[in-house]
């Protein structure tokens, strides 16, 4: 079969078994060619169906089978309460300054109302009072301006301070995530949570929360001023507030599910796009461009349906809000006319009430807008706090390893229940031994490496170092014992030196850094860098090739100095000649350490003390190169295929 035929066969298999399943019922796809009246008839059904989809997603997000959970709303309330508790003085100042600014602003309508009453009463002293009233109004406005400035400043400090702590909280828990959980969760979900959700939460903490305080204070004090002016003329605004309360309660009951569903669909879009970008060459080789484009279109359509639901909730609320803003003014005029005719209210009170109700629109509008933004922020915060809710996958017992002996007994492991990928693997590694693990792709080599390094816990069996289960050691302690290096790597923004001494930045010397670079054959290109070890690398700085980045990762490992190294195809991105030199120099440098190397280049296995051949999750053969060649078994076949 030709290469073209093989590619076509692979592409066909992928399209048959890997194609995305349509997730949008036909009833939700609106046919714009039909008359508007027919489309409107199905609107309620579509809304209810979208609500059901949001409810199902919301419930599933609480304890997902895979991926990261979403925290309950009570955790968000407790989180905000804890942050506010640390800033009681600032919070009190925020409320006090806004209350004083509101009171100053509410004096002007009363002054104008009194002026109207005196004008209607007549008298020669009116002209003389105008100058005094004008000066009072100017004074009140100036005082209100100063108080508002102070309130805004406190609001900015309050919001930024809370934002800083919230971000530190999120980063702290992201870094504490068990690596096994990070591997199970989709990259798109984690990326969305630490980018889009952090940004949304930032807006809520920095802007919406202080604005909620300001709008609430203004609304309450304006209502108090209206009652002090005339309880009768305050009744339309009370009715308006009750109506808004009922509508807001219904909105707040449904909105969290909608916004959490929105966030989940953004994660799905990011996951699909990340997979497509990272696998671009595979997509092109298998001619799957249309398939991946279709997958993205499907994800975007699912997200659009989630956004339509939240948009419907907002539209329904805003319809009532518009009436609540304008209705009270009409009723104040009608009720005021009736009350004035019966001697219950004066024209000045009617004037003041009309001004108050107009003043009330701005804080009420801000309150409603803030509630909406807080719902979005709260949904994002529940997704972020869900990271903190992920349980640790290990429990430290305090027991300390005695010696460097790494032992694996009867290891069994499954990524999906009932589908083991390792079946009773046993390994007894002698301290200082170089063990190579070989086998066909998908045989379980990398899974075994992850268990040996304590990334994942076995379903059954145990991996111990120095007599202590690796899952009972704190990560900080474990990484001084056993370290895993894979073909994946990361270059952090900073100097080359900073990137290499991460594990021992307080104790590592430049001499140790150069020794590590020499061990991984990286001295030559580092010396050519503009500023040597001080050269800034990472995003937006000096760009490293994949091979250079992997050499930096290996140098980082040398400086960390664990007694046991697990190398999972750690030289796969380096050209064969460089890899050969690198592996040889590491072998001499790491003399006395235990090294487990997942080898996809069999010359690595040839240099090892022992070779474990993994076939279908079992160790089929174990011995030195010469011993396994003499067996004429699986390893001998792999070696001949490699050397031919």
């Amino acid at each position: 079969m030709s290469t073209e035929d093989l590619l076509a066969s692979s592409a066909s298999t992928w399209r048959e078994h890997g194609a995305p399943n349509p997730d949008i019922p036909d009833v939700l796809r609106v046919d714009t060619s039909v008359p508007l009246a027919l489309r409107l008839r199905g609107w309620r059904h579509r809304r209810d169906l979208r609500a059901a989809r949001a409810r199902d997603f919301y419930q599933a997000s609480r304890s997902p089978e895979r991926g990261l959970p979403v925290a309950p709303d009570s955790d968000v309330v407790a989180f905000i309460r804890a942050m506010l508790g640390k800033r009681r003085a600032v919070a009190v100042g925020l409320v006090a300054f806004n209350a004083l600014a509101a009171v100053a602003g509410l004096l002007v309508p009363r002054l104008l109302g009194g002026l109207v009453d005196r004008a209607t009463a007549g008298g020669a002293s009116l002209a003389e009072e105008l100058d005094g009233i004008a000066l009072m109004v100017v004074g009140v406005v100036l005082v209100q301006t100063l108080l508002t400035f102070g309130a805004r400043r406190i609001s900015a400090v309050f919001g930024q301070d809370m934002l800083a702590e919230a971000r530190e909280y999120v980063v702290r828990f992201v870094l504490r995530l068990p690596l096994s959980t990070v591997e199970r969760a989709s990259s798109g979900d984690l990326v969305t949570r630490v980018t889009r959700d952090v940004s949304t939460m930032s807006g809520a903490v920095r802007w919406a929360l202080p604005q909620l305080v300001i709008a609430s204070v203004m609304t309450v004090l304006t209502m108090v001023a209206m009652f002090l002016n005339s309880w009768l003329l305050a009744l339309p605004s009370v009715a308006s507030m009750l109506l808004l309360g009922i509508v807001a309660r219904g909105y707040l009951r449904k909105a969290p599910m909608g916004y959490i569903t929105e966030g989940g669909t953004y994660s799905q879009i990011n996951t699909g796009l990340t997979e497509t970008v990272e696998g671009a060459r595979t997509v092109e080789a298998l001619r799957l461009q249309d398939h991946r484009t279709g997958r993205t279109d499907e994800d975007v359509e699912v997200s659009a349906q989630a956004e339509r639901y939240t948009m419907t909730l907002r539209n329904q609320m805003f319809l009532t809000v518009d009436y609540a803003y304008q209705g009270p003014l009409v009723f104040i005029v009608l009720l005021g006319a009736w009350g004035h005719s019966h001697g219950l209210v004066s024209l000045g009170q009617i004037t003041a009430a009309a001004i108050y109700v107009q003043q009330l629109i701005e804080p009420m509008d801000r309150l409603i807008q803030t509630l909406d933004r807080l719902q979005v922020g709260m949904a994002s915060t529940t997704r972020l706090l869900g990271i903190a809710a992920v349980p640790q996958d290990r429990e430290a017992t305090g027991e300390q390893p005695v010696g460097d002996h790494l032992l694996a007994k009867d290891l069994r492991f499954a990524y999906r229940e009932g589908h083991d990928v390792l079946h009773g693997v046993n390994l007894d590694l002698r301290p200082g031994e170089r063990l190579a693990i070989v086998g066909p792709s998908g045989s379980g080599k990398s899974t075994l490496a992850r268990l040996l390094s304590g990334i994942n816990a076995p379903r059954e069996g145990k991996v111990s170092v120095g007599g202590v289960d690796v899952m009972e050691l704190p990560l900080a302690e474990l990484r001084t014992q056993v370290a895993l290096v894979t073909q994946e790597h990361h270059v952090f923004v900073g100097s080359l030196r900073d990137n290499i001494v991460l594990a021992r930045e307080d104790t590592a010397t430049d001499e140790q850094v150069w020794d590590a670079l020499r061990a991984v054959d990286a001295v030559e290109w580092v010396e050519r860098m503009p500023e040597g070890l001080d050269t800034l690398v990472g995003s937006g700085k000096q760009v490293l090739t994949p091979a250079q980045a992997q050499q930096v990762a290996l140098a980082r490992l040398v400086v960390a100095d664990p007694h046991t190294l697990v190398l999972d195809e750690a030289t796969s991105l380096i050209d064969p000649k460089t890899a050969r030199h690198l592996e040889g120099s590491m072998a001499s440098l790491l003399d006395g350490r235990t090294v487990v190397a997942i080898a996809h280049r069999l010359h690595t296995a040839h240099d090892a003390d022992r070779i474990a051949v993994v076939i279908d999750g079992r160790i089929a053969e174990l011995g030195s190169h010469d011993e396994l060649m003499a067996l004429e078994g699986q390893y001998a076949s792999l070696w001949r295929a490699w050397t031919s």
Side-chain angles (χ1 to χ4, degrees):
M1 183 179 290
S2 67
T3 302
E4 288 290 327
D5 292 336
L6 286 172
L7 289 175
S9 176
S10 297
S12 175
T13 301
W14 178 260
R15 289 190 180 95
E16 180 180 350
H17 297 287
N21 296 318
D23 199 27
I24 303 296
D26 289 337
V27 68
L28 291 179
R29 292 187 170 95
V30 180
D31 185 359
T32 56
S33 63
V34 302
L36 179 62
L38 292 178
R39 284 182 297 188
L40 290 176
R41 288 178 188 174
W43 173 82
R44 182 181 294 275
H45 178 59
R46 290 193 297 272
R47 183 203 62 184
D48 293 342
L49 182 56
R50 289 174 183 134
R53 288 162 60 87
R55 185 169 56 252
D56 292 343
F57 183 94
Y58 178 80
Q59 292 172 351
S61 69
R62 295 300 180 179
S63 54
E65 294 181 5
R66 295 176 63 85
L68 302 171
V70 173
D73 295 341
S74 58
D75 284 5
V76 180
V77 175
F79 174 66
I80 295 175
R81 184 185 295 118
M83 289 202 299
L84 290 175
K86 299 176 183 178
R87 298 165 179 82
R88 288 192 179 92
V90 180
V92 170
L94 177 65
V95 174
F97 267 82
N98 279 286
L100 291 173
V103 170
L106 295 173
L107 290 176
V108 174
R110 289 300 298 267
L111 291 173
L112 295 177
L115 178 62
V116 170
D117 284 340
R118 283 192 288 276
T120 56
S125 63
L126 178 61
E128 298 175 359
E129 293 181 2
L130 284 177
D131 290 342
I133 293 175
L135 289 174
M136 291 178 62
V137 170
V138 170
V140 168
V141 170
L142 288 175
V143 171
Q144 184 187 20
T145 301
L146 292 174
L147 291 172
T148 301
F149 173 79
R152 295 280 176 87
R153 188 177 187 282
I154 294 176
S155 174
V157 172
F158 177 76
Q160 293 293 344
D161 188 38
M162 286 190 67
L163 171 60
E165 181 176 347
R167 281 180 168 168
E168 291 170 0
Y169 180 90
V170 170
V171 170
R172 188 163 57 248
F173 276 98
V174 166
L175 295 178
R176 286 178 54 187
L177 276 176
L179 288 179
S180 56
T181 302
V182 175
E183 293 291 338
R184 287 198 308 271
S186 69
S187 57
D189 188 17
L190 188 55
V191 167
T192 301
R193 293 194 189 213
V194 299
T195 53
R196 184 254 177 194
D197 287 328
V198 167
S199 176
T200 304
M201 181 199 69
S202 299
V205 170
R206 187 179 65 255
W207 181 86
L209 196 57
Q211 290 299 316
L212 178 67
V213 175
I214 295 170
S216 299
V217 170
M218 289 289 292
T219 301
V220 170
L221 290 180
T222 303
M223 289 300 300
V224 170
M226 292 185 73
F227 270 99
L228 292 176
N229 176 63
S230 169
W231 68 267
L232 179 64
L233 298 179
L235 293 180
S237 294
V238 172
S240 174
M241 296 293 290
L242 290 175
L243 178 61
L244 278 178
I246 295 172
V247 173
R249 182 183 179 188
Y251 170 77
L252 295 176
R253 187 176 65 253
K254 300 174 182 178
M257 293 183 288
Y259 285 120
I260 287 175
T261 303
E262 266 191 25
T265 62
Y266 299 150
S267 294
Q268 187 59 40
I269 291 173
N270 282 336
T271 297
L273 290 175
T274 301
E275 290 173 351
T276 302
V277 171
E278 291 180 349
R281 292 184 178 180
T282 302
V283 170
E284 290 180 0
L286 298 180
R287 299 171 184 172
L288 296 174
Q289 293 92 328
D290 292 342
H291 169 82
R292 298 305 301 178
T293 301
R295 163 68 183 273
T296 301
D297 290 343
E298 187 73 26
D299 290 342
V300 170
E301 188 172 358
V302 170
S303 183
Q305 292 296 332
E307 291 191 357
R308 282 176 180 268
Y309 176 59
T310 55
M311 181 177 64
T312 298
L313 294 178
R314 290 193 299 272
N315 288 342
Q316 289 177 316
M317 180 178 66
F318 290 147
L319 284 174
T320 307
V321 166
D322 288 341
Y323 167 76
Y325 289 166
Q326 304 302 329
L329 180 59
V330 176
F331 285 103
I332 283 175
V333 172
L334 296 176
L335 194 60
W338 177 84
H340 182 66
S341 65
H342 288 76
L344 298 177
V345 293
S346 67
L347 289 178
Q349 289 176 304
I350 298 173
T351 302
I355 296 174
Y356 280 140
V357 81
Q358 290 300 106
Q359 283 188 334
L360 190 60
I361 291 177
E362 194 277 333
M364 284 175 60
D365 183 59
R366 189 189 305 177
L367 190 61
I368 294 298
Q369 296 289 344
T370 302
L371 282 176
D372 180 58
R373 192 157 178 177
L374 279 175
Q375 284 303 300
V376 180
M378 190 168 183
S380 290
T381 306
T382 60
R383 285 166 51 81
L384 289 170
L385 295 183
I387 297 174
V390 174
Q392 293 297 310
D393 60 350
R394 65 195 68 232
E395 184 175 350
T397 61
E399 189 176 358
Q400 292 296 309
V402 179
D404 302 342
H405 186 201
L406 188 66
L407 179 65
K409 288 185 178 180
D410 194 29
L411 300 183
R412 301 175 188 273
F413 183 80
Y415 291 101
R416 289 185 301 147
E417 187 175 352
H419 295 79
D420 279 356
V421 294
L422 292 180
H423 309 276
V425 173
N426 293 284
L427 273 177
D428 189 348
L429 294 169
R430 299 186 290 267
E433 177 183 23
R434 178 75 177 270
L435 174 72
I437 300 178
V438 302
S441 178
S443 60
K445 303 188 301 298
S446 294
T447 301
L448 178 57
R450 297 174 65 79
L451 266 60
L452 292 176
S453 57
I455 300 293
N456 294 94
R459 183 180 65 80
E460 291 184 11
K462 174 183 175 182
V463 177
S464 62
V465 57
V468 180
D469 191 330
V470 294
M471 301 307 293
E472 295 177 357
L473 287 172
L475 275 177
E477 170 69 19
L478 177 60
R479 292 301 163 243
T480 64
Q481 304 283 335
V482 185
L484 171 70
V485 176
T486 69
Q487 58 188 320
E488 299 176 359
H489 53 263
H490 185 76
V491 177
F492 297 90
V493 174
S495 69
L496 271 172
R497 179 189 292 101
D498 293 338
N499 270 271
I500 294 171
V501 301
L502 280 175
R504 299 184 184 273
E505 58 184 352
D506 295 330
T507 59
T509 64
D510 280 2
E511 183 180 354
Q512 290 175 305
V513 173
W514 283 112
D515 287 342
L517 292 171
R518 195 171 295 111
V520 298
D521 287 341
V523 171
E524 183 180 350
W525 65 261
V526 172
E527 288 179 337
R528 292 199 306 267
M529 286 288 174
E531 299 178 49
L533 292 177
D534 293 322
T535 302
L536 296 179
V537 295
S539 178
K541 309 298 180 184
Q542 179 73 37
V543 178
L544 300 182
T545 67
Q548 290 172 340
Q550 201 156 25
Q551 285 174 302
V552 169
L554 291 172
R556 188 184 298 149
L557 176 68
V558 173
V559 171
D561 197 28
H563 63 68
T564 300
L565 304 177
V566 181
L567 310 178
D568 186 2
E569 300 185 354
T571 61
S572 63
L573 295 181
I574 304 174
D575 64 88
K577 181 179 179 181
T578 303
R580 181 69 172 176
H581 291 162
L582 184 149
E583 290 159 357
S585 60
M586 284 189 68
S588 61
L589 178 68
L590 301 178
D591 184 39
R593 290 182 175 83
T594 306
V595 179
V596 180
I598 309 299
H600 67 143
R601 294 186 176 109
L602 288 194
H603 63 70
T604 303
H606 180 276
D607 297 334
D609 298 322
R610 284 194 299 168
I611 302 164
V613 183
V614 178
I615 305 292
D616 294 331
R618 295 179 173 85
I619 295 182
E621 299 173 359
L622 182 63
S624 68
H625 172 79
D626 293 336
E627 291 170 346
L628 296 185
M629 289 299 295
L631 282 178
E632 292 292 336
Q634 296 281 356
Y635 178 77
S637 298
L638 289 171
W639 179 261
R640 292 192 182 96
W642 171 260
T643 55
S644 63

